Amino acid sequence: MTADTNQATLWRAVLEAIGYEYMGVTDTYRTGSVDLSQITVTEGGSRSDLWNQIKADMLDSMVTTLQKSGGAVMTNVVIAAYAVGDITDLKGAFDTWLAVKKVYKPNPENTAYYRKIYNMRTKLIHEEMQSSFNLLEKIRNEKI
């Protein structure tokens, strides 16, 4: 990063940093045999084509957005409306909400790049930085 780094580059770096954390989570789920070949995203983040493509590439998953991006809050509203009788067909109400808006397919070249960087990042944090952390702890405990 330099004084010439533009705002778009900085925002992309933030999104990719979040994506690397998502990679760790999805790796854990995949280790437990959870199929994450397709992920449906909702709420505000689902409205960004760039962010959705980054997620697809980093997670090596098809990322799907819905016509209605509201997630938990809107689901609760529909269930409440059903509970008080304002909606009689719960499945029908959700079917209209679950219409697919767009599907983002992972780009294999990007996926391989992100995995390579993720593996180096993981090694750096969990292995190579450990001696630095130990040394900093030793420094912190030194008394004059």
Side-chain angles (χ1 to χ4, degrees):
M1 186 169 94
T2 69
D4 295 326
T5 303
N6 66 36
Q7 190 174 25
T9 301
L10 294 173
W11 277 113
R12 185 179 184 106
V14 168
L15 295 175
E16 289 176 340
I18 294 167
Y20 286 119
E21 292 303 315
Y22 286 178
M23 288 176 76
V25 171
T26 56
D27 283 355
T28 299
Y29 280 107
R30 285 182 169 130
T31 299
S33 300
V34 175
D35 178 17
L36 296 175
S37 58
Q38 181 171 339
I39 298 171
T40 302
V41 295
T42 61
E43 303 295 345
S46 70
R47 296 183 193 116
S48 168
D49 286 332
L50 173 64
W51 181 214
N52 292 325
Q53 188 60 56
I54 288 171
K55 288 181 274 190
D57 292 342
M58 293 185 90
L59 305 178
D60 195 17
S61 301
M62 302 267 284
V63 171
T64 303
T65 60
L66 304 176
Q67 291 294 335
K68 299 200 182 220
S69 63
V73 172
M74 293 308 293
T75 300
N76 291 340
V77 168
V78 171
I79 291 172
Y82 176 76
V84 298
D86 288 345
I87 294 175
T88 57
D89 181 12
L90 187 60
K91 183 181 180 321
F94 281 119
D95 282 346
T96 60
W97 283 39
L98 298 177
V100 172
K101 180 177 181 182
K102 191 168 182 179
V103 176
Y104 301 83
K105 297 178 181 176
N107 175 320
E109 289 177 16
N110 293 347
T111 299
Y113 168 80
Y114 284 126
R115 179 54 61 179
K116 179 180 173 183
I117 299 300
Y118 177 79
N119 289 340
M120 288 190 287
R121 172 190 171 273
T122 301
K123 184 174 194 263
L124 176 67
I125 292 170
H126 295 289
E127 294 175 21
E128 297 173 10
M129 294 287 295
Q130 189 59 52
S131 62
S132 297
F133 293 143
N134 292 341
L135 185 57
L136 288 170
E137 179 66 19
K138 187 176 180 179
I139 291 169
R140 185 177 75 91
N141 291 325
E142 286 295 317
K143 304 287 185 217
I144 295 181

CSV table of all heavy atoms in Angstrom, one decimal, residues 102-132:
chain,number,residue,atom,x,y,z
A,102,LYS,N,-29.5,-14.0,-9.4
A,102,LYS,CA,-28.2,-14.2,-10.2
A,102,LYS,C,-27.4,-15.3,-9.6
A,102,LYS,O,-27.4,-15.5,-8.4
A,102,LYS,CB,-27.5,-12.8,-10.2
A,102,LYS,CG,-26.3,-12.8,-11.2
A,102,LYS,CD,-25.8,-11.4,-11.4
A,102,LYS,CE,-24.6,-11.4,-12.4
A,102,LYS,NZ,-24.1,-10.0,-12.6
A,103,VAL,N,-26.6,-16.0,-10.4
A,103,VAL,CA,-25.7,-17.0,-9.9
A,103,VAL,C,-24.3,-16.6,-10.3
A,103,VAL,O,-24.0,-16.2,-11.5
A,103,VAL,CB,-26.0,-18.4,-10.5
A,103,VAL,CG1,-25.0,-19.4,-10.1
A,103,VAL,CG2,-27.4,-18.8,-10.1
A,104,TYR,N,-23.3,-16.6,-9.4
A,104,TYR,CA,-21.9,-16.3,-9.6
A,104,TYR,C,-21.2,-17.6,-9.6
A,104,TYR,O,-21.2,-18.3,-8.6
A,104,TYR,CB,-21.4,-15.3,-8.6
A,104,TYR,CG,-22.2,-14.0,-8.5
A,104,TYR,CD1,-23.4,-13.9,-7.8
A,104,TYR,CD2,-21.7,-12.9,-9.2
A,104,TYR,CE1,-24.1,-12.8,-7.8
A,104,TYR,CE2,-22.5,-11.7,-9.2
A,104,TYR,CZ,-23.7,-11.7,-8.5
A,104,TYR,OH,-24.4,-10.5,-8.5
A,105,LYS,N,-20.5,-17.9,-10.7
A,105,LYS,CA,-19.7,-19.1,-10.8
A,105,LYS,C,-18.2,-18.8,-10.4
A,105,LYS,O,-17.7,-17.8,-10.9
A,105,LYS,CB,-19.8,-19.7,-12.1
A,105,LYS,CG,-21.2,-20.1,-12.5
A,105,LYS,CD,-21.3,-20.7,-13.9
A,105,LYS,CE,-22.8,-21.0,-14.2
A,105,LYS,NZ,-23.0,-21.5,-15.5
A,106,PRO,N,-17.6,-19.7,-9.7
A,106,PRO,CA,-16.2,-19.5,-9.4
A,106,PRO,C,-15.3,-19.6,-10.6
A,106,PRO,O,-15.5,-20.4,-11.5
A,106,PRO,CB,-15.8,-20.6,-8.4
A,106,PRO,CG,-16.9,-21.6,-8.5
A,106,PRO,CD,-18.1,-20.9,-9.1
A,107,ASN,N,-14.4,-18.7,-10.7
A,107,ASN,CA,-13.4,-18.7,-11.8
A,107,ASN,C,-12.2,-19.5,-11.3
A,107,ASN,O,-11.6,-19.1,-10.3
A,107,ASN,CB,-13.0,-17.2,-12.1
A,107,ASN,CG,-11.9,-17.2,-13.1
A,107,ASN,OD1,-10.9,-18.0,-13.1
A,107,ASN,ND2,-11.9,-16.2,-14.0
A,108,PRO,N,-12.0,-20.7,-11.9
A,108,PRO,CA,-10.9,-21.6,-11.4
A,108,PRO,C,-9.5,-20.9,-11.2
A,108,PRO,O,-8.8,-21.2,-10.3
A,108,PRO,CB,-10.8,-22.7,-12.5
A,108,PRO,CG,-12.2,-22.7,-13.2
A,108,PRO,CD,-12.6,-21.2,-13.1
A,109,GLU,N,-9.2,-20.0,-12.1
A,109,GLU,CA,-7.9,-19.3,-12.0
A,109,GLU,C,-7.9,-18.5,-10.7
A,109,GLU,O,-6.9,-18.4,-10.0
A,109,GLU,CB,-7.6,-18.5,-13.2
A,109,GLU,CG,-7.3,-19.3,-14.5
A,109,GLU,CD,-7.0,-18.4,-15.7
A,109,GLU,OE1,-6.8,-17.2,-15.5
A,109,GLU,OE2,-7.1,-19.0,-16.8
A,110,ASN,N,-8.9,-17.7,-10.5
A,110,ASN,CA,-9.0,-16.9,-9.3
A,110,ASN,C,-9.1,-17.8,-8.0
A,110,ASN,O,-8.4,-17.4,-7.0
A,110,ASN,CB,-10.3,-16.0,-9.3
A,110,ASN,CG,-10.2,-14.9,-10.4
A,110,ASN,OD1,-9.1,-14.7,-11.0
A,110,ASN,ND2,-11.3,-14.3,-10.7
A,111,THR,N,-9.8,-18.9,-8.1
A,111,THR,CA,-9.9,-19.8,-6.9
A,111,THR,C,-8.5,-20.3,-6.6
A,111,THR,O,-8.2,-20.3,-5.4
A,111,THR,CB,-10.9,-20.9,-7.2
A,111,THR,OG1,-12.2,-20.4,-7.5
A,111,THR,CG2,-11.0,-21.9,-6.1
A,112,ALA,N,-7.8,-20.7,-7.6
A,112,ALA,CA,-6.4,-21.3,-7.3
A,112,ALA,C,-5.5,-20.2,-6.7
A,112,ALA,O,-4.7,-20.4,-5.8
A,112,ALA,CB,-5.8,-21.8,-8.6
A,113,TYR,N,-5.6,-18.9,-7.2
A,113,TYR,CA,-4.8,-17.8,-6.7
A,113,TYR,C,-5.2,-17.6,-5.2
A,113,TYR,O,-4.3,-17.5,-4.4
A,113,TYR,CB,-5.1,-16.6,-7.5
A,113,TYR,CG,-4.5,-15.3,-6.9
A,113,TYR,CD1,-3.2,-15.0,-7.0
A,113,TYR,CD2,-5.4,-14.5,-6.1
A,113,TYR,CE1,-2.7,-13.9,-6.4
A,113,TYR,CE2,-4.9,-13.4,-5.5
A,113,TYR,CZ,-3.5,-13.0,-5.6
A,113,TYR,OH,-3.0,-11.9,-5.0
A,114,TYR,N,-6.5,-17.5,-4.9
A,114,TYR,CA,-6.9,-17.2,-3.6
A,114,TYR,C,-6.5,-18.3,-2.6
A,114,TYR,O,-6.0,-18.1,-1.5
A,114,TYR,CB,-8.4,-17.0,-3.5
A,114,TYR,CG,-8.8,-15.6,-4.0
A,114,TYR,CD1,-9.8,-15.5,-4.9
A,114,TYR,CD2,-8.3,-14.4,-3.4
A,114,TYR,CE1,-10.2,-14.2,-5.4
A,114,TYR,CE2,-8.7,-13.2,-3.9
A,114,TYR,CZ,-9.7,-13.1,-4.8
A,114,TYR,OH,-10.1,-11.9,-5.2
A,115,ARG,N,-6.5,-19.6,-3.1
A,115,ARG,CA,-6.2,-20.7,-2.2
A,115,ARG,C,-4.7,-20.6,-2.0
A,115,ARG,O,-4.2,-20.9,-0.8
A,115,ARG,CB,-6.5,-22.0,-2.9
A,115,ARG,CG,-6.2,-23.3,-2.1
A,115,ARG,CD,-6.7,-23.3,-0.7
A,115,ARG,NE,-8.1,-23.3,-0.6
A,115,ARG,CZ,-8.8,-23.3,0.6
A,115,ARG,NH1,-8.1,-23.5,1.7
A,115,ARG,NH2,-10.1,-23.3,0.6
A,116,LYS,N,-3.9,-20.3,-3.0
A,116,LYS,CA,-2.4,-20.2,-2.8
A,116,LYS,C,-2.1,-19.1,-1.8
A,116,LYS,O,-1.3,-19.4,-0.8
A,116,LYS,CB,-1.8,-19.9,-4.1
A,116,LYS,CG,-0.3,-19.7,-4.1
A,116,LYS,CD,0.3,-19.4,-5.5
A,116,LYS,CE,1.7,-19.1,-5.4
A,116,LYS,NZ,2.2,-18.7,-6.8
A,117,ILE,N,-2.7,-18.0,-1.9
A,117,ILE,CA,-2.4,-16.9,-0.9
A,117,ILE,C,-3.0,-17.3,0.5
A,117,ILE,O,-2.3,-17.0,1.5
A,117,ILE,CB,-3.1,-15.6,-1.4
A,117,ILE,CG1,-2.5,-15.1,-2.8
A,117,ILE,CG2,-3.0,-14.5,-0.4
A,117,ILE,CD1,-1.1,-14.9,-2.8
A,118,TYR,N,-4.1,-17.9,0.5
A,118,TYR,CA,-4.7,-18.4,1.8
A,118,TYR,C,-3.7,-19.3,2.5
A,118,TYR,O,-3.5,-19.2,3.7
A,118,TYR,CB,-6.0,-19.0,1.6
A,118,TYR,CG,-6.6,-19.5,2.9
A,118,TYR,CD1,-7.2,-18.7,3.8
A,118,TYR,CD2,-6.6,-20.9,3.2
A,118,TYR,CE1,-7.8,-19.2,5.0
A,118,TYR,CE2,-7.1,-21.4,4.4
A,118,TYR,CZ,-7.7,-20.5,5.3
A,118,TYR,OH,-8.2,-21.0,6.5
A,119,ASN,N,-3.2,-20.3,1.8
A,119,ASN,CA,-2.2,-21.2,2.4
A,119,ASN,C,-1.0,-20.5,2.9
A,119,ASN,O,-0.5,-20.8,4.0
A,119,ASN,CB,-1.9,-22.3,1.4
A,119,ASN,CG,-3.1,-23.3,1.1
A,119,ASN,OD1,-4.0,-23.3,1.9
A,119,ASN,ND2,-3.0,-23.9,0.0
A,120,MET,N,-0.5,-19.6,2.1
A,120,MET,CA,0.7,-18.8,2.6
A,120,MET,C,0.4,-18.0,3.8
A,120,MET,O,1.1,-17.9,4.8
A,120,MET,CB,1.3,-17.9,1.5
A,120,MET,CG,1.9,-18.7,0.4
A,120,MET,SD,2.8,-17.6,-0.8
A,120,MET,CE,1.5,-16.9,-1.7
A,121,ARG,N,-0.8,-17.4,3.8
A,121,ARG,CA,-1.3,-16.5,5.0
A,121,ARG,C,-1.4,-17.4,6.2
A,121,ARG,O,-1.0,-17.0,7.3
A,121,ARG,CB,-2.6,-15.9,4.6
A,121,ARG,CG,-3.3,-15.2,5.7
A,121,ARG,CD,-4.7,-14.8,5.2
A,121,ARG,NE,-5.5,-14.3,6.3
A,121,ARG,CZ,-6.3,-15.0,7.1
A,121,ARG,NH1,-6.2,-16.4,7.0
A,121,ARG,NH2,-7.0,-14.5,8.0
A,122,THR,N,-2.0,-18.6,6.0
A,122,THR,CA,-2.2,-19.5,7.2
A,122,THR,C,-0.9,-19.9,7.8
A,122,THR,O,-0.7,-19.9,9.0
A,122,THR,CB,-3.0,-20.7,6.7
A,122,THR,OG1,-4.3,-20.2,6.3
A,122,THR,CG2,-3.3,-21.7,7.9
A,123,LYS,N,0.1,-20.3,6.9
A,123,LYS,CA,1.4,-20.7,7.4
A,123,LYS,C,2.1,-19.5,8.1
A,123,LYS,O,2.7,-19.7,9.1
A,123,LYS,CB,2.2,-21.2,6.2
A,123,LYS,CG,3.6,-21.7,6.6
A,123,LYS,CD,4.3,-22.3,5.3
A,123,LYS,CE,5.5,-23.1,5.8
A,123,LYS,NZ,6.7,-22.6,5.8
A,124,LEU,N,2.0,-18.4,7.5
A,124,LEU,CA,2.6,-17.2,8.1
A,124,LEU,C,2.1,-16.9,9.5
A,124,LEU,O,2.8,-16.8,10.5
A,124,LEU,CB,2.4,-16.0,7.3
A,124,LEU,CG,2.9,-14.6,7.8
A,124,LEU,CD1,4.5,-14.7,7.9
A,124,LEU,CD2,2.5,-13.5,7.0
A,125,ILE,N,0.8,-16.9,9.6
A,125,ILE,CA,0.1,-16.6,10.9
A,125,ILE,C,0.3,-17.7,12.0
A,125,ILE,O,0.7,-17.5,13.1
A,125,ILE,CB,-1.4,-16.3,10.7
A,125,ILE,CG1,-1.6,-15.0,10.0
A,125,ILE,CG2,-2.1,-16.3,12.1
A,125,ILE,CD1,-3.0,-14.8,9.5
A,126,HIS,N,0.1,-19.0,11.6
A,126,HIS,CA,0.1,-20.1,12.5
A,126,HIS,C,1.5,-20.7,12.8
A,126,HIS,O,1.6,-21.4,13.8
A,126,HIS,CB,-0.9,-21.2,12.1
A,126,HIS,CG,-2.3,-20.7,12.1
A,126,HIS,ND1,-3.0,-20.4,13.2
A,126,HIS,CD2,-3.1,-20.4,11.1
A,126,HIS,CE1,-4.2,-20.0,13.0
A,126,HIS,NE2,-4.3,-19.9,11.7
A,127,GLU,N,2.4,-20.5,11.9
A,127,GLU,CA,3.7,-21.1,12.1
A,127,GLU,C,4.8,-20.1,12.2
A,127,GLU,O,5.5,-20.0,13.2
A,127,GLU,CB,4.0,-22.1,10.9
A,127,GLU,CG,3.1,-23.3,10.8
A,127,GLU,CD,3.3,-24.1,9.6
A,127,GLU,OE1,4.4,-24.0,9.0
A,127,GLU,OE2,2.4,-24.8,9.2
A,128,GLU,N,5.0,-19.3,11.2
A,128,GLU,CA,6.2,-18.4,11.1
A,128,GLU,C,6.1,-17.3,12.1
A,128,GLU,O,7.1,-16.8,12.6
A,128,GLU,CB,6.4,-18.0,9.7
A,128,GLU,CG,6.7,-19.1,8.8
A,128,GLU,CD,6.8,-18.8,7.3
A,128,GLU,OE1,6.8,-17.6,7.0
A,128,GLU,OE2,6.9,-19.7,6.5
A,129,MET,N,4.9,-16.8,12.4
A,129,MET,CA,4.8,-15.7,13.3
A,129,MET,C,4.8,-16.1,14.8
A,129,MET,O,5.0,-15.3,15.7
A,129,MET,CB,3.4,-15.0,13.1
A,129,MET,CG,3.3,-14.3,11.7
A,129,MET,SD,4.3,-12.8,11.6
A,129,MET,CE,3.5,-11.7,12.8
A,130,GLN,N,4.7,-17.4,15.1
A,130,GLN,CA,4.7,-17.9,16.4
A,130,GLN,C,5.9,-17.5,17.2
A,130,GLN,O,5.8,-17.0,18.4
A,130,GLN,CB,4.5,-19.4,16.5
A,130,GLN,CG,4.2,-19.9,17.9
A,130,GLN,CD,3.0,-19.3,18.5
A,130,GLN,OE1,1.9,-19.3,17.9
A,130,GLN,NE2,3.1,-18.7,19.7
A,131,SER,N,7.1,-17.6,16.6
A,131,SER,CA,8.3,-17.2,17.3
A,131,SER,C,8.3,-15.7,17.6
A,131,SER,O,8.8,-15.3,18.6
A,131,SER,CB,9.5,-17.6,16.5
A,131,SER,OG,9.6,-17.0,15.3
A,132,SER,N,7.8,-14.9,16.7
A,132,SER,CA,7.7,-13.4,16.9
A,132,SER,C,6.7,-13.1,18.1
A,132,SER,O,7.0,-12.3,18.9
A,132,SER,CB,7.2,-12.7,15.7
A,132,SER,OG,8.1,-12.9,14.6
